[in-house]
């Protein structure tokens, strides 16, 4: 391909064979197929019955609150998105790349917003249909809930694949530079949606539980509780919109890293292969998600979901293995060992093997998270047992479960990365880095299944709330409670996969960062990597700062939930003082609580977001690219450990409460139940706010580092400008921290 950029260079370049051009058009077709499948499932869900007038009224209140929140959030961040779109134009050396990067950033942000908004909108319309179906059939209720989530999953798959493929087809070998903008747009919006949605949902949930369950001893979704609607709204803006955007940006970030490293190692074949793998994944997700179903006799939702996941995994492995066998042929691969080449001259199957490692990592994380959070497993039952001896032992046991789970999770990730390294042992380090990137591609191949599992959780939770508020009969309520408990596990599993994928994606971006630094300095990967030793003080300093940032970030979010929950407690208490509301003859002012949650979440967004965006710039300008590399490494390690701990400890506390509400240890109203509610309340901001928000935070910092590194290197020789940036950056961080620690004012 000519060094001079040409629009639609993919179409005009002789570097691409006719088969490759046809294959990439097929990838685009598969992306569209994924979107059409999402539309098909949405039509199926919306044709289902909505139940009674009371159920419809409750569902409309949830839908109205969720849409109002997201619209307000998009308005709040619109100016920043437009500002960054303009700024990104100046981050590339070539004008057309700068323009492409800015447009791609805007497209990434829009796609991420669409995934969150449309997916959440269907979730708040599917919840009432699940509740209605539960009156007659467990199997039908499961199918509706899961397919509602699959719509969001296939939107994520389809739009992610569509955007990445289009950019490659337009920009050819320059695509990775433009894709940095696409990935950053999705990443930044995911951070906002994760942080804002997480604060909203847990402020409402904690406030509702503290007053309703603890003080008034009434059911979770009692219609007299003014925070009930806000709690159900929060499930959607936190888990549906937030997780969808989170996984979407992981989907794009891994593509960015694979393209950068793939081109450096295998040329354009190293770029096209991950796109083909992603297309196979879309087809596999369509097959696996449509197969999820159970009978009213079996009533095993978790087994049905796992069967669908395994089916997708098998289809995906068969598909990308076949593609690799026919496509990955290189003249220099003639002498490769038989286990790599399958005794076929010129065949290099190493990208296939590393992709397969990613699939197995996803399956492993799935099982590990299920073990630590599923109601019937030992860890959750240990927490259930601890509730009989009080609130303190409940908290202690949950913390222990969370700590243990994070060790096994990080060992699984370490084994997967090491396996990817061994597959390329003895080769150029760029090839090794590409292997790790392909592990991330493999892990997110089944994105459609992962998002389906995640959105299933809040849909089932909302349906359970609607069933309680509408006073459905006991069998229907039990069906919804069973689905809700499974939903807690599927949400935890998806969080585990999201966290693990964030780590693998961040490691891939870290390698891509080294490649970029080497390109700018005209040094090899090995030369740059050799400078990143802990004996170098700037690297070690960066490592320490990077390791600390996830803790500060989490502290800001947990404080934010505490302050916002305090406002909800005051409001719910005030409304309970109205004797008519307490008697059930007057409807509480649900909208008031929704408004308080919305305002608090918007105010609390600023500090954590600025911390994630500005800190890598400050570290880079203060300690150079070596210090920034250490910073990224420290944030990846501590961020993963902290995120898994918070997610699994919170999930264990939540499902322990569910077990007791189903009759263990005296059931609802017992002392054990009160202890379990305390554990669940402590775990709420951990598992649904701070823990999940660490995923986009880690990737935002990596993306900012990659975008900023040309400027950092350019300004190292101008100390006045360099230290001026550091001083301004520190001032911004200090102001953000001060703003985040202020007392939240009632709206």
């Amino acid at each position: 391909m000519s060094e001079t950029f040409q629009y639609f260079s993919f179409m005009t370049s002789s570097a691409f064979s006719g088969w490759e051009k046809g294959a990439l058009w097929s990838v685009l077709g598969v992306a569209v197929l994924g979107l059409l499948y999402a539309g098909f499932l949405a039509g199926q869900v919306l044709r289902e019955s909505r139940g009674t007038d009371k159920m419809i009224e409750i569902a409309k209140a949830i839908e109205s609150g969720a849409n109002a929140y997201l619209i307000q959030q998009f308005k709040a961040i619109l100016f920043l998105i437009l500002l960054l779109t303009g700024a990104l134009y100046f981050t590339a050396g070539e004008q057309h790349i700068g323009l492409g990067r800015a447009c791609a950033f805007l497209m990434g942000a829009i796609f991420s917003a669409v995934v969150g908004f449309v997916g959440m909108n269907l979730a708040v319309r599917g919840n009432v249909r699940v509740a209605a179906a539960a009156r007659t059939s467990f199997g039908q209720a499961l199918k509706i809930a899961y397919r509602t989530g699959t719509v969001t999953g296939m939107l994520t798959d389809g739009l992610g694949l569509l955007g990445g493929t289009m950019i490659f087809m337009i920009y050819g070998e320059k695509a990775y530079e433009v894709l940095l903008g696409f990935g950053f747009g999705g990443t930044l919006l995911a951070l906002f949606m994760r942080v804002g949605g997480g604060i909203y949902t847990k402020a409402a949930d904690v406030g509702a539980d503290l007053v309703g369950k603890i003080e008034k001893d009434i059911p979770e979704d009692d219609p007299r509780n003014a925070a009930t609607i806000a709690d159900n709204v929060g499930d959607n803006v936190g888990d549906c919109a937030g997780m969808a955007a989170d996984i979407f940006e992981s989907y794009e970030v891994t593509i960015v890293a694979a393209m950068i490293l793939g081109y450096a190692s295998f040329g354009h074949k190293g770029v096209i292969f991950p796109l083909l793998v992603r297309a196979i994944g879309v087809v596999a997700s369509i097959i696996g998600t449509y197969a999820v179903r159970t009978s009213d006799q079996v009533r095993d939702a978790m087994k049905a979901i796992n069967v669908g996941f395994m089916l997708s995994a098998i289809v995906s492995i068969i598909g990308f293995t076949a593609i690799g066998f026919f496509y990955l042929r290189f003249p220099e691969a003639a002498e490769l060992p038989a286990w790599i080449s399958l005794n076929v001259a010129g065949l290099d199957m190493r990208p296939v093997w590393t992709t397969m490692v990613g699939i197995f990592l996803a399956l492993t994380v799935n099982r590990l998270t299920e073990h630590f959070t599923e109601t019937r497993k030992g860890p959750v039952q240990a927490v259930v047992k601890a509730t009989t001896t009080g609130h303190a032992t409940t908290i202690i046991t949950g913390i222990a479960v969370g700590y243990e789970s994070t060790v096994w999770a990080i060992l699984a990730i370490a084994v997967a990365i090491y396996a990817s390294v061994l597959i390329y042992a003895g080769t150029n380090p760029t090839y090794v880095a590409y292997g790790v990137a392909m592990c991330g591609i493999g892990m997110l191949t089944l994105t459609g299944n992962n998002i389906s599992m995640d959105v299933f959780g809040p849909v089932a939770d909302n349906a359970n709330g609607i069933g309680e508020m509408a006073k459905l009969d006991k069998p229907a309520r039990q069906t919804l409670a069973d689905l809700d408990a499974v939903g807690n596990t599927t949400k935890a599993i998806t969080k585990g996969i999201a966290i693990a994928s964030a780590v693998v994606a961040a490691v891939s971006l870290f390698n891509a960062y080294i490649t970029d630094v080497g390109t700018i300095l005209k040094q090899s990967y090995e030369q740059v990597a050799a400078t990143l030793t802990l004996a170098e003080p700037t690297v070690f300093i960066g490592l320490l700062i990077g390791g600390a940032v996830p803790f500060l970030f989490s502290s800001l979010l947990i404080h934010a939930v505490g302050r916002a929950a305090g406002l909800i407690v005051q409001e719910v208490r005030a409304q309970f003082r109205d004797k008519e509301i307490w008697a059930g003859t007057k409807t509480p002012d649900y909208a008031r609580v929704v408004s308080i949650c919305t305002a608090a979440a918007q105010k609390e967004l600023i500090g954590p977001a600025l911390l994630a965006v500005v800190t890598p710039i400050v570290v880079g300008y203060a300690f150079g690219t070596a210090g920034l590399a250490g910073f990224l490494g420290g944030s990846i390690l501590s961020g993963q450990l902290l995120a898994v701990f918070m997610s699994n400890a919170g999930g264990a506390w939540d499902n322990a409460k569910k077990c007791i509400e189903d009759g263990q240890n005296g059931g609802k109203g017992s002392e054990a139940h009160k202890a379990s509610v305390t554990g669940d309340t402590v775990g709420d901001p951990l598992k649904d706010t701070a823990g999940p928000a660490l995923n986009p935070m880690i990737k935002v910092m990596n993306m900012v580092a990659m975008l900023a590194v040309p400027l950092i290197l350019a300004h190292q020789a101008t100390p006045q400008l360099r230290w001026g940036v550091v001083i301004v950056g520190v001032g911004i961080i200090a102001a953000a921290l001060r703003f985040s620690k202020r007392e939240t004012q009632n709206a």
Side-chain angles (χ1 to χ4, degrees):
M1 182 180 291
S2 169
E3 291 298 317
T4 305
F5 173 81
Q6 295 178 341
Y7 284 100
F8 294 99
S9 54
F10 157 77
M11 294 300 298
T12 59
S13 173
S14 59
F16 300 95
S17 69
W19 184 92
E20 288 171 329
K21 292 177 181 179
L24 283 175
W25 280 113
S26 297
V27 171
L28 272 186
V30 169
V32 173
L33 177 64
L35 298 176
L36 291 175
Y37 178 58
F40 167 72
L41 292 183
Q44 280 193 341
V45 170
L46 295 177
R47 283 194 296 270
E48 298 290 339
S49 169
R50 293 189 293 168
T52 65
D53 290 341
K54 180 64 175 175
M55 295 166 68
I56 294 170
E57 178 188 344
I58 296 166
K60 282 186 175 179
I62 297 170
E63 181 180 352
S64 174
N67 285 330
Y69 170 76
L70 275 192
I71 290 170
Q72 181 62 34
Q73 184 170 65
F74 291 151
K75 286 181 179 177
I77 63 177
L78 180 61
F79 175 74
L80 178 61
I81 295 296
L82 294 176
L83 181 67
L84 287 173
T85 300
L88 281 173
Y89 176 78
F90 300 100
T91 60
E94 300 173 74
Q95 185 178 15
H96 57 272
I97 296 298
L99 178 62
R101 185 178 288 177
C103 293
F105 170 81
L106 188 60
M107 182 170 69
I110 291 172
F111 278 10
S112 189
V114 167
V115 167
F117 189 83
V118 175
M120 184 216 69
N121 200 272
L122 189 70
V124 296
R125 299 169 74 184
N127 52 18
V128 69
R129 291 164 168 85
V130 174
R135 298 176 300 172
T136 57
S137 170
F138 181 95
Q140 184 67 6
L142 166 65
K143 187 168 74 171
I144 295 171
Y146 191 80
R147 290 186 179 179
T148 299
T150 303
V151 173
T152 310
M154 297 316 299
L155 279 174
T156 305
D157 255 347
L159 289 177
L161 188 60
L162 184 70
T165 307
M166 285 176 60
I167 290 172
F168 176 69
M169 291 173 74
I170 293 172
Y171 283 89
E173 67 181 46
K174 298 285 188 179
Y176 79 88
E177 296 188 58
V178 176
L179 276 166
L180 283 174
F182 188 50
F184 185 45
T187 301
L188 191 64
L189 204 79
L191 179 66
F192 283 121
M193 294 179 79
R194 256 306 184 195
V195 170
I199 293 169
Y200 184 114
T201 181
K202 291 304 109 180
D205 195 359
V206 171
D209 282 357
L210 287 176
V211 183
K213 289 184 177 180
I214 300 293
E215 296 181 8
K216 298 298 184 180
D217 197 21
I218 60 176
E220 180 172 0
D221 291 295
D222 192 298
R224 294 172 292 176
N225 191 326
T228 298
I229 294 296
D231 185 8
N232 284 295
V233 169
D235 290 330
N236 294 288
V237 300
D239 278 314
C240 295
M243 177 59 86
D246 185 359
I247 295 287
F248 175 83
E249 52 97 10
S250 285
Y251 195 88
E252 289 315 314
V253 162
T254 52
I255 277 287
V256 171
M259 283 189 166
I260 293 172
L261 298 164
Y263 190 80
S265 51
F266 288 102
H268 69 268
K269 284 191 176 184
V271 177
I272 292 175
F273 181 66
L275 292 173
L276 296 174
V277 170
R278 282 281 161 85
I280 294 292
V282 172
V283 175
S285 288
I286 290 174
I287 294 170
T289 55
Y290 203 74
V292 172
R293 61 193 69 203
T294 190
S295 67
D296 290 333
Q297 290 73 39
V298 176
R299 292 176 66 92
D300 194 336
M302 198 68 239
K303 180 180 178 181
I305 292 170
N306 282 334
V307 166
F309 194 90
M310 288 299 297
L311 178 60
S312 291
I314 292 168
V315 171
S316 187
I317 288 172
I318 293 172
F320 66 67
T321 301
I323 291 288
F325 183 82
F326 288 105
Y327 182 55
L328 296 174
R329 306 294 177 96
F330 306 94
E332 62 272 20
E335 304 301 323
L336 288 173
W339 71 271
I340 293 175
S341 65
L342 302 179
N343 286 318
V344 177
L347 176 64
D348 190 342
M349 291 290 282
R350 286 176 295 186
V352 172
W353 306 145
T354 49
T355 304
M356 202 176 295
V357 168
I359 292 277
F360 286 120
L361 176 58
L363 292 171
T364 302
V365 170
N366 183 317
R367 292 299 185 185
L368 279 174
T369 310
E370 182 180 342
H371 173 74
F372 283 102
T373 60
E374 214 270 333
T375 54
R376 293 168 292 185
K377 304 295 184 182
V380 170
Q381 287 302 312
V383 179
V384 171
K385 183 179 179 181
T387 62
T388 61
T389 52
H391 299 249
T393 51
T394 302
I395 299 299
I396 291 168
T397 307
I399 290 173
V401 167
Y403 281 153
E404 182 185 352
S405 70
T406 201
V407 173
W408 295 112
I410 205 164
L411 285 176
I413 295 170
V415 168
I417 292 175
Y418 188 55
S420 302
V421 170
L422 286 179
I423 288 170
Y424 280 96
T427 60
N428 186 303
T430 308
Y431 285 80
V432 175
Y434 180 62
V436 176
M438 287 308 300
C439 177
I441 291 288
M443 187 170 193
L444 288 175
T445 296
L446 305 181
T447 290
N449 300 70
N450 293 332
I451 297 291
S452 301
M453 292 167 64
D454 181 72
V455 177
F456 171 84
V459 169
D461 194 341
N462 270 203
N464 194 21
I466 291 170
E468 188 168 296
M469 295 180 74
K471 303 188 186 310
L472 296 186
D473 57 48
K474 189 173 181 180
R477 291 282 297 110
Q478 188 59 52
T479 290
L480 293 171
D482 291 344
L483 291 175
D484 189 8
V486 172
N488 282 335
T489 301
T490 59
K491 285 192 296 183
I493 287 170
T494 314
K495 289 186 180 87
I497 290 175
I499 293 164
S501 70
V503 173
V504 176
V507 171
S508 300
L509 284 175
F510 183 77
N511 287 318
Y513 168 83
I514 295 173
T515 301
D516 268 10
V517 172
T519 300
I520 295 169
L521 296 177
K522 294 182 171 48
Q523 295 178 352
S524 68
Y525 182 99
E526 297 94 319
Q527 288 174 312
V528 176
T531 65
L532 305 181
T533 168
L534 292 182
E536 169 58 46
T538 56
V539 175
F540 193 71
I541 292 168
L543 184 76
L544 296 176
I545 297 173
V549 167
F551 286 87
L552 181 58
F553 183 83
S554 300
S555 171
L556 294 178
L557 293 185
I558 294 170
H559 270 305
V561 170
R563 287 192 295 267
L567 297 178
I568 304 305
V569 167
Q570 294 171 21
E571 179 62 28
V572 174
R573 283 175 178 168
Q575 293 202 34
F576 269 138
R577 287 194 285 269
D578 187 324
K579 294 181 180 179
E580 292 181 76
I581 290 178
W582 181 245
T585 58
K586 178 181 177 182
T587 302
D589 188 354
Y590 299 125
R592 172 68 179 160
V593 181
V594 169
S595 175
I596 292 170
C597 285
T598 300
Q602 297 303 317
K603 291 176 184 177
E604 301 286 2
L605 273 173
I606 300 171
L610 285 175
L611 180 68
V613 172
V614 177
T615 306
I617 297 174
V618 170
V619 171
Y621 271 88
F623 303 109
T625 54
L628 183 53
F631 171 85
L632 296 177
S635 68
I636 293 168
L637 176 60
S638 72
Q640 192 278 340
L641 291 169
L642 194 56
V644 174
F645 158 70
M646 291 193 288
S647 177
N648 287 348
W653 277 318
D654 195 349
N655 268 351
K657 179 198 69 176
K658 288 285 192 298
C659 289
I660 294 174
E661 289 177 345
D662 282 341
Q664 288 187 239
N665 295 350
K668 291 183 179 181
S670 65
E671 289 303 313
H673 183 233
K674 292 178 181 177
S676 74
V677 172
T678 299
D680 180 37
T681 305
V682 171
D684 273 340
L686 303 186
K687 71 179 175 65
D688 290 327
T689 306
L694 285 170
N695 307 336
M697 183 214 73
I698 292 169
K699 287 172 285 189
V700 161
M701 294 198 300
N702 275 270
M703 295 298 294
V704 169
M706 291 188 67
L707 289 166
V709 71
L711 298 174
I712 292 170
L713 289 171
H715 297 150
Q716 286 298 296
T718 35
Q720 295 90 346
L721 176 60
R722 175 185 167 193
W723 290 106
V725 170
V726 172
I727 292 169
V728 171
V730 169
I732 292 172
I733 294 171
L737 294 178
R738 178 169 180 155
F739 182 77
S740 290
K741 289 183 178 181
R742 82 217 178 287
E743 289 297 320
T744 302
Q745 299 299 313
N746 205 337

